[in-house]
Amino acid sequence: MTLSAPVIETERMILRGPEASDFEAYAAFMESDRSHMTGGPMDRATAWRAFACEIGHWVLHGFGMWTATDRETGAIVGQAGFWMPEGWLERELGWRLYEGFEGRGLAIEAALALRGHAYERLGWGPLISVIAPGNARSIRLAERLGATLERDDWTTPSGKAALIYRHPGVNAMQEVSA
């Protein structure tokens, strides 16, 4: 079965559906301490199951996390996309950058492109971002995107404390710049 995720291009990246060859970069991230805000660290076998779950999310919902690649080099820089597993409040806009790609504005570039896709192409309303309370970088990014703290008391279905940030609606979206 082939995954049919739309390809979304930004100035510096190509966002595409996940492929089997993406697993090495995904596993390296999920095995590292850097993944502690996104469910890790985890061993390679557990990372494989998580990766397969993300692909299955596309099949079940018709949306999921895109693989973000550098337009010039083809390097995998991370993931960004939509997430709504069992027990989630509503559709989430999420992101993760792999080692060596932070601090370049890539996460906001991907998030803006995907939020635009959600609002303009899919007709969705305002999205949320679910962020671990100690994840200062993601909190800053959500706020740069114009999202505001809506809840500081939510617990994920797996029992982890989380903050809920609400993104602005489609009309306010044009006011946010990278």
Side-chain angles (χ1 to χ4, degrees):
M1 178 176 186
T2 302
L3 184 72
S4 66
V7 174
I8 298 173
E9 297 190 27
T10 71
E11 181 181 337
R12 297 178 292 166
M13 289 177 290
I14 296 174
L15 306 170
R16 58 162 175 75
E19 301 172 355
S21 60
D22 300 341
F23 177 66
E24 290 303 322
Y26 180 89
F29 175 79
M30 295 307 285
E31 290 173 321
S32 77
D33 288 337
R34 299 183 66 255
S35 69
H36 74 280
M37 298 293 183
T38 61
M42 57 184 67
D43 61 41
R44 187 174 177 86
T46 304
W48 174 254
R49 287 189 294 279
F51 183 70
C53 175
E54 291 189 17
I55 293 170
H57 191 281
W58 275 100
V59 174
L60 294 172
H61 289 298
F63 60 87
M65 297 296 282
W66 276 261
T67 297
T69 63
D70 181 278
R71 285 178 78 85
E72 290 183 19
T73 67
I76 299 173
V77 304
Q79 293 178 298
F82 310 121
W83 188 241
M84 194 172 127
E86 173 65 28
W88 231 236
L89 296 172
E90 56 192 277
R91 291 179 200 107
E92 174 190 4
L93 171 61
W95 50 81
R96 61 174 69 117
L97 290 179
Y98 296 163
E99 187 170 1
F101 294 100
E102 296 105 336
R104 300 182 191 181
L106 296 171
I108 196 166
E109 185 175 322
L112 284 169
L114 290 169
R115 191 170 66 183
H117 176 77
Y119 293 177
E120 296 164 15
R121 303 285 170 124
L122 302 176
W124 294 352
L127 298 164
I128 62 169
S129 286
V130 178
I131 301 174
N135 193 340
R137 291 184 98 155
S138 280
I139 291 168
R140 280 193 304 273
L141 177 56
E143 290 173 348
R144 281 187 67 203
L145 289 163
T148 56
L149 180 63
E150 184 171 276
R151 289 184 64 177
D152 63 1
D153 63 347
W154 191 58
T155 303
T156 69
S158 63
K160 296 186 179 179
L163 307 173
I164 305 295
Y165 274 80
R166 172 75 54 191
H167 288 266
V170 67
N171 294 333
M173 188 181 76
Q174 285 83 17
E175 299 172 15
V176 179
S177 64

